Amino acid sequence: MTVTGSGKAAKPVNVIEPVVAIAINTFRETVRDRILYALILFAAIVTVLGIVLGSLSVGQDIRILKDIGLAAISFIGGIIAVFAGTNLVYKELERRTIYIIFTKPVSGWQFILGKYIGLCLCVAVMVMAMGAFLAMIVIALGGNVAGASFIEQIKEITQELSLIYLELLFVTALATFFSTFSTPVLSVLFTLAIWLAGHLGESLLELGKLTQNPLIAQILGIIFYCLPDFAGLTRIRGHLLYGTAPGTEVLTYLVTYVFAYVLMLLVLAAIVTERKEFS
Amino acid sequence: MADVVIQTTNLSKELTSSLLRRKVRILSGLNLTVVKGETFGLIGPNGAGKTTSIKLMLGLMRATEGNAEILGMPAGDKRALAQLGYLPENPYFYSHLTGREFLDFVGQLFGIERQDRKERARELLETVRLTEAADMQMRKYSKGMLQRLGIAQSLINRPEVVFWDEPMSGLDPIGRRDVRQILSHLKEKGTTIFFNSHLLPDVNEVCDRVGVMNRGRLVVDEQVKNISAGGNYKDLEDFFLEFVSKDDANIKASSNASNSTNSNCDTSSEEARS
Ligand SMILES: Nc1ncnc2c1ncn2[C@@H]1O[C@H](COP(=O)(O)OP(=O)(O)OP(=O)(O)O)[C@@H](O)[C@H]1O
Ligand SMILES: [Mg+2]
């Protein structure tokens, strides 16, 4: 029995390794959860429903099918991000697995980054799986419609999915952030509220004008400028669906905005975690 | 003088009870020194502050007063943590990971090389008799199996110091014997061991020194060989009961005394239990 050897097996400073370890661990834990598959099944059912509706509509419009399919993917991806994300840190605290992590040479930011990457990977796999399913159906049905080639169809769906994923990266970061200090139920509410507010986009400004109350209008304005403009993102996706490529300017702006936001949320989450006591 | 591995100076912890905004002292002025190669057992009634002491030494909790140093570094220092092993109380790990994956994960957190990690995990699974269950997900593990895995993970980095919070808890007689054996192997290699336990015969057998903790204070700290040799105590249990009851009596007497002088119930904050 070799129990110890006081060997210097461990390096005191390892920056990437713990992040990778925590990411893989989070990915495995999430992917092996059965709830996930119930959600995927739901997405598949919605898409199939879309086919039925699509075939009822005039001229077998493949766009309706794609629209419904992508909406289902975005929705299910969001559900996974919100529910897995809000549990992410909370579960580790509740089950005290966090004791194992923070008694190792691991920093708060490594923990948060690892958790975030792990969940984003999981969401990516789910979005890709659902996307592949949708692409298969579209190609199967769309082969004889219009002139759109196989490659074009795939390209369009991939572009759409990337934009959906961009949005999900934000939702996941938001959920991760809340989960460092709040219970899952509250975190879900906060995350959904902010996500939806982001979707209102410019309607927030309109709403402000409608109230005719300068204070409320101002508050709604601030909310609008503080959140990523998901309504804008959805518009871009809509244009894509009709074959118009989005303006690079808008796209660059949105991507930068989302990444800056994600970074800020993760830094805050790391700070909260670093200051925590585990009693 | 031998190398000091664990040293606490006036280590104290207060929690603010959220309901009444009243401060509760759960550890008061712990002064303790454990030297290299020593096996120290901390015993005491439930809620005495044993787990709290370990958490403070590892930096999971922050001291309100005083400090703890491990291997000459402040509690929670990453360089010290790299050389520690820790078994939490009632370990519960990741339900969807297998035992082997979990050990690999812990090894990775330490930055151990892949090949070494695999080898180490295999060895340790053998040591704690979990080889057969190694590829089963942890949600299917029994309490004792989780405890065994907890012990295995605490040794993955070949630690200089181990902190074990109730290592025997939930183990069958074979498991307890295994743990005693692991402990003696660790001792042979010169590992410093700090552990909490309620199983006094085991403590008696493996420890060089024991401390009795009661209501957040270390009441006595004595070499095991002196306890029975002095002839004052039948065994460790006798020693334990004697000191705890004496301490309880003291606290009662002093709180009575202060009650009669200023009739203020709040003076004995140690009495407060949440
Ligand atoms: N998070 C917390 N909030 C309030 N009180 C706490 C908290 N953690 C610990 N305590 C209190 O601190 C005291 C010491 O607890 P600790 O867990 O250290 O005891 P212990 O000696 O390990 O007991 P056991 O033998 O039951 O494991 C207890 O009175 C407990 O109620
Ligand atoms: Mg305890």
Side-chain angles (χ1 to χ4, degrees):
Chain A
M1 194 159 40
T2 44
V3 169
T4 182
S6 356
K8 287 285 142 319
K11 297 167 275 173
V13 268
N14 41 344
V15 180
I16 306 294
E17 189 102 31
V19 179
V20 174
I22 291 166
I24 294 175
N25 181 16
T26 306
F27 178 76
R28 279 185 176 145
E29 272 280 295
T30 318
V31 160
R32 289 177 189 174
D33 208 321
R34 290 209 190 99
I35 295 208
L36 216 58
Y37 300 97
L39 287 172
I40 304 281
L41 191 70
F42 180 67
I45 291 172
V46 171
T47 311
V48 170
L49 218 67
I51 299 174
V52 177
L53 288 177
S55 60
L56 288 179
S57 81
V58 200
Q60 282 210 332
D61 198 341
I62 213 84
R63 269 197 207 108
I64 291 181
L65 168 63
K66 261 194 237 169
D67 228 4
I68 292 175
L70 289 168
I73 291 175
S74 162
F75 179 69
I76 300 297
I79 296 278
I80 294 173
V82 170
F83 284 90
T86 48
N87 267 297
L88 209 56
V89 179
Y90 186 82
K91 209 161 91 184
E92 297 248 5
L93 280 168
E94 193 195 39
R95 294 186 171 177
R96 288 176 291 174
T97 44
I98 205 150
Y99 289 6
I100 294 290
I101 291 173
F102 286 128
T103 48
K104 308 292 174 279
V106 174
S107 308
W109 71 266
Q110 291 172 314
F111 172 70
I112 292 295
L113 187 61
K115 291 252 103 185
Y116 180 69
I117 293 176
L119 185 51
C120 287
L121 276 179
C122 175
V123 173
V125 169
M126 295 305 144
V127 167
M128 279 195 276
M130 292 187 286
F133 180 69
L134 179 66
M136 259 158 33
I137 294 177
V138 166
I139 288 162
L141 296 179
N144 48 6
V145 177
S149 74
F150 177 82
I151 302 288
E152 273 163 11
Q153 298 277 13
I154 298 282
K155 193 176 148 209
E156 192 197 291
I157 289 183
T158 312
Q159 283 173 335
E160 290 275 347
L161 289 179
S162 310
L163 292 180
I164 289 176
Y165 190 61
L166 182 70
E167 187 173 330
L168 295 181
L169 286 180
F170 171 80
V171 178
T172 307
L174 205 56
T176 306
F177 168 66
F178 284 124
S179 89
T180 56
F181 58 85
S182 162
T183 60
V185 175
L186 283 178
S187 301
V188 166
L189 290 179
F190 290 148
T191 309
L192 286 180
I194 293 182
W195 189 24
L196 286 180
H199 265 287
L200 290 178
E202 277 157 10
S203 322
L204 277 172
L205 299 179
E206 312 273 309
L207 196 68
K209 273 186 218 142
L210 275 181
T211 56
Q212 294 191 334
N213 180 332
L215 184 66
I216 294 180
Q218 213 161 13
I219 293 175
L220 289 177
I222 292 173
I223 295 177
F224 171 70
Y225 287 110
C226 285
L227 291 177
D229 184 8
F230 290 135
L233 201 67
T234 311
R235 254 197 318 278
I236 295 177
R237 279 175 39 206
H239 293 324
L240 258 180
L241 213 54
Y242 287 87
T244 334
T248 19
E249 232 166 80
V250 188
L251 203 57
T252 318
Y253 168 74
L254 272 172
V255 171
T256 318
Y257 202 129
V258 168
F259 275 101
Y261 227 110
V262 166
L263 190 67
M264 184 194 75
L265 288 170
L266 294 186
V267 168
L268 288 177
I271 292 172
V272 174
T273 312
E274 197 70 64
R275 295 166 140 252
K276 255 194 165 45
E277 266 196 284
F278 308 102
S279 56
Chain B
M1 204 188 99
D3 299 349
V4 172
V5 172
I6 302 172
Q7 176 140 49
T8 72
T9 318
N10 189 32
L11 190 64
S12 312
K13 182 67 186 174
E14 267 179 11
L15 291 176
T16 311
S17 123
S18 51
L19 211 60
L20 300 165
R21 291 262 137 233
R22 203 171 64 168
K23 287 198 168 136
V24 185
R25 207 160 238 272
I26 60 174
L27 190 71
S28 330
L30 177 65
N31 290 302
L32 194 65
T33 306
V34 180
V35 297
K36 179 155 177 47
E38 201 174 15
T39 301
F40 185 90
L42 189 59
I43 58 180
N46 293 131
K50 304 181 295 295
T51 299
T52 305
S53 304
I54 290 191
K55 283 189 186 169
L56 286 164
M57 291 180 201
L58 294 169
L60 284 173
M61 278 178 153
R62 276 185 283 275
T64 317
E65 255 178 81
N67 68 313
E69 278 190 6
I70 311 296
L71 296 164
M73 291 170 258
D77 190 293
K78 305 257 179 326
R79 287 162 303 164
L81 290 177
Q83 301 174 58
L84 304 188
Y86 169 50
L87 167 70
E89 188 175 33
N90 306 322
Y92 185 89
F93 306 125
Y94 300 96
S95 8
H96 298 284
L97 290 196
T98 70
R100 196 189 303 279
E101 284 169 345
F102 178 63
L103 289 185
D104 195 62
F105 168 63
V106 177
Q108 237 177 329
L109 292 181
F110 277 115
I112 302 172
E113 296 293 330
R114 189 187 161 84
Q115 202 47 48
D116 194 18
R117 239 161 47 211
K118 302 266 179 244
E119 182 56 25
R120 198 72 194 125
R122 202 191 47 73
E123 255 169 43
L124 286 168
L125 285 164
E126 191 77 48
T127 307
V128 298
R129 297 177 202 270
L130 279 179
T131 305
E132 268 177 54
D135 298 308
M136 193 160 97
Q137 290 191 6
M138 281 186 267
R139 66 199 157 93
K140 296 181 192 155
Y141 278 26
S142 71
K143 180 176 181 223
M145 286 160 83
L146 285 174
Q147 183 76 11
R148 285 158 186 266
L149 191 65
I151 289 170
Q153 64 79 30
S154 77
L155 300 173
I156 194 110
N157 60 329
R158 302 183 168 87
E160 299 274 344
V161 198
V162 297
F163 291 87
W164 279 356
D165 204 340
E166 302 192 21
M168 315 282 189
S169 142
L171 294 183
D172 60 25
I174 301 168
R176 276 169 65 182
R177 198 193 57 201
D178 288 345
V179 170
R180 286 198 300 267
Q181 247 169 38
I182 295 172
L183 270 169
S184 67
H185 276 271
L186 289 170
K187 269 168 95 163
E188 276 167 31
K189 308 263 180 172
T191 311
T192 310
I193 299 154
F194 186 104
F195 77 97
N196 295 342
S197 183
H198 291 299
L199 297 167
L200 303 186
D202 291 332
V203 174
N204 194 43
E205 191 184 322
V206 298
C207 287
D208 301 316
R209 199 148 60 95
V210 292
V212 179
M213 186 166 267
N214 192 37
R215 297 171 189 251
R217 283 177 309 137
L218 188 68
V219 183
V220 62
D221 160 12
E222 183 62 275
Q223 297 288 331
V224 170
K225 59 175 189 285
N226 295 346
I227 292 174
S228 42
N232 293 329
Y233 310 101
K234 203 162 81 236
D235 53 17
L236 189 56
E237 185 176 309
D238 195 27
F239 178 79
F240 173 97
L241 292 174
E242 175 79 21
F243 274 95
V244 169
S245 59
K246 211 156 59 184
D247 188 56
D248 280 346
N250 277 342
I251 287 172
K252 199 157 182 199
S254 69
S255 87
N256 279 344
S258 61
N259 277 351
S260 58
T261 49
N262 59 8
S263 68
N264 182 356
C265 303
D266 251 346
T267 44
S268 66
S269 60
E270 285 100 336
E271 291 275 342
R273 284 286 175 267
S274 44

